[in-house]
Amino acid sequence: MSFLAGRSVQTGLYLTAGSTARSLVRSITSLRPHRWIGDPCGTIRHNGRYQAYSWGAAQSDDLLHWTEINDHAIKGLPKGTAAFTGSVVADRENSAGYGEDALIAVFTSFDEASKKQSQSIAFSHDGGLSYSFYDGNPVLDIWSTEFRDPTVIRDREHGRWIMLVAKALEKKVAFYGSTDLKHWECPDMFRLPVEGTDRRKWVMVVSTALPMRAWSLRPTGLWNLIFSLISRRSRFLPTAAKECSRS
């Protein structure tokens, strides 16, 4: 899942009722490069066009018809380093110093020798067709082999960026804050209106295949857990659980 103008957009394969492994129906909005690709990520609308990455770059005017621009959008990756899933933001206030409205990619760097996963950034000066690897990378490193898939959003109320990133072995989602996308302090989050009030609440959704005995749910299966932020304690508390359909 990735973000498009503040809203999540799901792309890929979909199942219809009664479908089997032989009758998968591909979404009409899919992109089919003639090569292996990773998770679709970094989806953003910028200068009137939609852009998505894999980390090759693709563009669309209508989300239906896609043109693959290149298969390696991030330039200057060190030898032995691979780019994994991440997100792209438009830095409208030039917080990172690459110019107003510059596109900044935030992604997981995978070190092939040590298997370490850390978070890096790259910046674009050509509208998102290509990105230059920041020479101060990684911007966030906890020396873990299971620390990946950052999603970054803008918290305009507090003038900062927020990163959500998975700590896979710990079965946790960690939150970090930054004012410049380069220095971070210690998986999707968005704000929704609270029905019947004028308030808005931060909501986080986490998918898990772990045993759910603590929730008195079936111990197997894939579940979406929904958490809401309790502002006075700056903590997310579970509010709902929903089992994912497996037709």
Side-chain angles (χ1 to χ4, degrees):
M1 183 170 289
S2 53
F3 275 83
L4 172 64
R7 298 184 181 181
S8 58
V9 176
Q10 187 75 42
T11 60
L13 291 174
Y14 289 78
L15 293 176
T16 57
S19 61
T20 66
R22 295 183 179 180
S23 62
L24 287 173
V25 178
R26 184 179 293 273
S27 166
I28 193 172
T29 58
S30 64
L31 170 67
R32 310 182 195 184
H34 298 291
R35 60 184 174 83
W36 183 90
I37 62 172
D39 298 334
C41 62
T43 311
I44 190 170
R45 182 173 172 82
H46 185 68
N47 291 337
R49 283 188 171 181
Y50 300 99
Q51 301 187 161
Y53 303 89
S54 55
W55 275 103
Q59 286 187 338
S60 173
D61 292 323
D62 58 9
L63 288 176
L64 297 178
H65 306 91
W66 289 88
T67 300
E68 186 176 15
I69 304 302
N70 55 53
D71 57 4
H72 290 87
I74 300 175
K75 311 301 181 183
L77 280 168
K79 184 177 180 179
T81 299
F84 282 10
T85 301
S87 55
V88 171
V89 296
D91 188 8
R92 306 195 186 286
E93 299 169 3
N94 192 25
S95 64
Y98 298 117
E100 291 184 5
D101 212 29
L103 292 183
I104 311 294
V106 186
F107 59 95
T108 297
S109 292
F110 174 71
D111 183 80
E112 296 172 358
S114 67
K115 311 303 180 186
K116 180 168 67 77
Q117 298 176 357
S118 56
Q119 313 316 312
S120 295
I121 66 171
F123 56 93
S124 177
H125 284 151
D126 59 9
L129 302 183
S130 65
Y131 292 80
S132 298
F133 189 78
Y134 170 52
D135 59 11
N137 283 323
V139 295
L140 182 57
D141 187 358
I142 63 171
W143 288 89
S144 170
T145 59
E146 301 289 343
F147 181 54
R148 56 182 176 266
D149 303 345
T151 289
V152 174
I153 60 175
R154 183 66 173 166
D155 177 8
R156 298 191 182 282
E157 182 178 351
H158 298 96
R160 63 182 177 179
W161 300 95
I162 296 175
M163 179 193 296
L164 295 82
V165 60
K167 293 184 174 180
L169 287 181
E170 300 176 47
K171 307 300 186 289
K172 293 180 179 179
V173 174
F175 294 81
Y176 296 86
S178 174
T179 57
D180 62 4
L181 292 166
K182 298 176 180 177
H183 304 89
W184 293 90
E185 301 172 353
C186 195
D188 288 336
M189 186 173 71
F190 45 88
R191 295 185 79 180
L192 291 176
V194 178
E195 187 175 2
T197 75
D198 58 358
R199 295 185 297 112
R200 302 177 73 198
K201 180 176 289 190
W202 285 101
V203 176
M204 178 177 66
V205 179
V206 177
S207 297
T208 178
L210 294 175
M212 302 302 296
R213 295 183 181 88
W215 284 70
S216 299
L217 304 174
R218 285 196 309 126
T220 59
L222 182 64
W223 295 79
N224 278 334
L225 306 184
I226 301 174
F227 300 80
S228 59
L229 178 64
I230 308 301
S231 298
R232 65 179 182 275
R233 286 184 277 175
S234 296
R235 295 178 60 192
F236 276 88
L237 298 181
T239 57
K242 178 178 177 61
E243 187 171 14
C244 299
S245 174
R246 287 188 172 182
S247 300

